[in-house]
Amino acid sequence: DLWVAADSGYGLEQTAALARLPWVDAIEAAVIPTGEYGQLLSQRDLATYLLLAETLDKPFVVPSQRRLRVEDVPALLAVGAKNIMIGAVVTGKEVKGIEQATRDFRLALDSGYRHL
């Protein structure tokens, strides 16, 4: 599967066109402007992801440009995210933090959150 990233410079129409390319299987929705990395997930972010879900004909993945919390998983799934890719903004850089965050998010995705 080939994922391609649409960053905050892509408009909705460009992202939709990107998703229509025949070799693209999924979109990494890297839509948060760089200056906003590490902040909490907002209602505006959720609205953006919902628009993507309604517009794209392929699944999209939310990278952790925001400081996502396990409590954000239900909302992200509800607006159409097919998966969440956590990175250093969420896990930190220490092995223990990476292990704990990965476990917590995996449990959240596997739990009842998946069945909204």
Side-chain angles (χ1 to χ4, degrees):
D1 290 353
L2 178 63
W3 287 13
V4 293
D7 65 22
S8 62
Y10 281 70
L12 189 58
E13 291 174 351
Q14 285 180 308
T15 304
L18 189 63
R20 288 193 303 272
L21 294 173
W23 54 85
V24 172
D25 297 306
I27 300 292
E28 179 184 333
V31 299
I32 305 303
T34 305
E36 298 180 25
Y37 283 16
Q39 297 176 15
L40 293 175
L41 186 69
S42 71
Q43 296 302 308
R44 183 180 194 160
D45 300 332
L46 292 171
T48 298
Y49 296 136
L50 182 58
L51 282 171
L52 286 173
E54 292 174 348
T55 304
L56 302 181
D57 61 353
K58 303 226 173 111
F60 71 92
V61 176
V62 174
S64 62
Q65 297 171 293
R66 295 287 192 196
R67 188 167 28 104
L68 299 176
R69 301 167 300 171
V70 171
E71 296 82 15
D72 295 324
V73 170
L76 288 166
L77 294 177
V79 298
K82 296 302 179 195
N83 213 328
I84 301 164
M85 183 172 58
I86 59 172
V89 172
V90 171
T91 66
K93 296 179 183 178
E94 300 298 321
V95 172
K96 185 170 178 75
I98 295 168
E99 179 184 18
Q100 186 66 50
T102 301
R103 181 182 308 112
D104 292 348
F105 273 84
R106 179 77 267 163
L107 288 171
L109 287 164
D110 287 344
S111 76
Y113 286 157
R114 185 174 290 280
H115 305 290
L116 294 172

